[in-house]
């Protein structure tokens, strides 16, 4: 005996994608299976266009689906369709992956260039590191509490803007603004030129 699909087009009498999302928000695994079937290809398509590496895209798409399961209760139909919400999450995750990979590559390249430029002087390196650390701590004390917390979570714990916003229970735009302002103040305090 063939089982009836959980999800169907609204005109065929099945639940709408919004109805399915509501059920997923309540922890319904069958509804999540239906949601997965409905959006997985779209999610992968968005991710692969941004990431451009199939293996990483598969990883990111899987992370997006886990996010959808975890965040389903946060979906609000009045703010847009399920597909728009899903596409936004997929795009943000993909961009986060690309930025993370680029930052890692930049760090590796900078390290390799530093190693090639001059022989390693351990004592000088320790003194320079200590002085820089002291300067960073002094400059961090000049930030507001929210700026300091946001910058610390992002740069010392590797959190994304979204994760920082969730941790500090603050709106994402507020976190982005505080971090931008905090980084500008740090740059100015440390005398970094752009």
């Amino acid at each position: 005996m063939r089982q009836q699909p959980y999800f169907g087009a609204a005109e065929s009498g099945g639940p709408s994608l919004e109805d399915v999302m509501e059920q997923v928000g309540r922890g319904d695994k069958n509804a999540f299976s239906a949601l997965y079937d409905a959006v997985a290809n779209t999610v992968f398509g968005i991710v692969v266009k941004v990431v451009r590496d199939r293996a990483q895209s598969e990883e990111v798409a899987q992370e997006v689906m886990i996010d959808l399961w975890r965040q389903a209760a946060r979906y609000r139909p009045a703010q847009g369709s399920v597909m728009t919400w899903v596409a936004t999450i997929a795009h943000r995750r993909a961009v986060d992956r690309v930025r993370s990979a680029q930052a890692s590559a930049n760090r590796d390249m900078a390290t390799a260039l530093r190693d090639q430029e001059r022989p390693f002087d351990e004592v000088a390196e320790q003194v320079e590191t200590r002085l820089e650390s002291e300067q960073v701590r002094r400059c961090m004390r000049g930030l507001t509490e929210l700026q300091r917390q946001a910058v610390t979570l992002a740069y010392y714990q590797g959190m994304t803007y979204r994760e920082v916003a969730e941790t500090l229970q603050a709106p994402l735009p507020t976190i982005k603004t505080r971090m931008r302002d905090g980084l500008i103040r740090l740059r100015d305090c440390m005398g970094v030129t752009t």
Side-chain angles (χ1 to χ4, degrees):
M1 180 175 165
R2 189 173 171 189
Q3 187 177 4
Q4 283 287 14
Y6 184 86
F7 175 74
E11 56 271 0
S12 67
S16 69
L17 201 51
E18 284 74 15
D19 293 337
V20 171
M21 181 57 79
E22 183 180 333
Q23 292 299 315
V24 172
R26 292 187 199 138
D28 185 327
K29 291 179 183 177
N30 290 330
F32 181 70
S33 178
L35 177 69
Y36 188 99
D37 291 343
V39 303
N41 287 336
T42 301
V43 166
F44 185 74
I46 291 168
V47 171
V48 81
K49 283 181 184 177
V50 175
V51 176
R52 295 188 178 153
D53 174 81
R54 187 165 184 83
Q56 282 195 39
S57 296
E58 289 171 358
E59 268 184 42
V60 173
Q62 189 64 32
E63 291 170 5
V64 170
M65 297 311 294
I66 292 169
D67 281 351
L68 293 178
W69 171 254
R70 291 178 179 162
Q71 297 181 33
R74 295 181 183 169
Y75 169 70
R76 298 293 176 258
Q79 294 178 341
S81 72
V82 170
M83 289 307 288
T84 300
W85 188 68
V86 167
T88 301
I89 291 173
H91 186 262
R92 286 181 182 163
R93 266 290 185 172
V95 168
D96 286 348
R97 175 63 65 97
V98 170
R99 286 180 179 161
S100 175
Q102 185 61 50
S104 178
N106 290 348
R107 281 190 304 271
D108 291 345
M109 186 167 14
T111 300
L113 288 173
R114 271 195 313 267
D115 290 346
Q116 284 180 345
E117 289 175 2
R118 57 183 162 77
F120 183 71
D121 180 349
E122 188 174 329
V123 174
E125 186 73 21
Q126 288 176 353
V127 169
E128 187 177 321
T129 300
R130 189 173 301 123
L131 290 173
E132 286 175 355
S133 296
E134 289 172 12
Q135 186 177 13
V136 168
R137 279 192 291 275
R138 181 179 53 78
C139 291
M140 288 286 283
R141 287 191 296 268
L143 301 180
T144 68
E145 185 63 25
L146 185 57
Q147 287 172 337
R148 186 172 30 261
Q149 288 175 333
V151 169
T152 300
L153 291 172
Y155 289 93
Y156 292 109
Q157 295 184 18
M159 292 185 176
T160 63
Y161 284 127
R162 181 176 53 248
E163 291 168 336
V164 171
E166 289 172 3
T167 300
L168 297 178
Q169 297 179 341
L172 183 58
T174 300
I175 292 301
K176 287 181 177 182
T177 300
R178 295 307 178 265
M179 284 184 64
R180 184 194 70 231
D181 293 348
L183 291 173
I184 289 169
R185 288 174 78 178
L186 282 175
R187 181 194 68 201
D188 294 345
C189 177
M190 301 218 21
V192 175
T193 57
T194 55

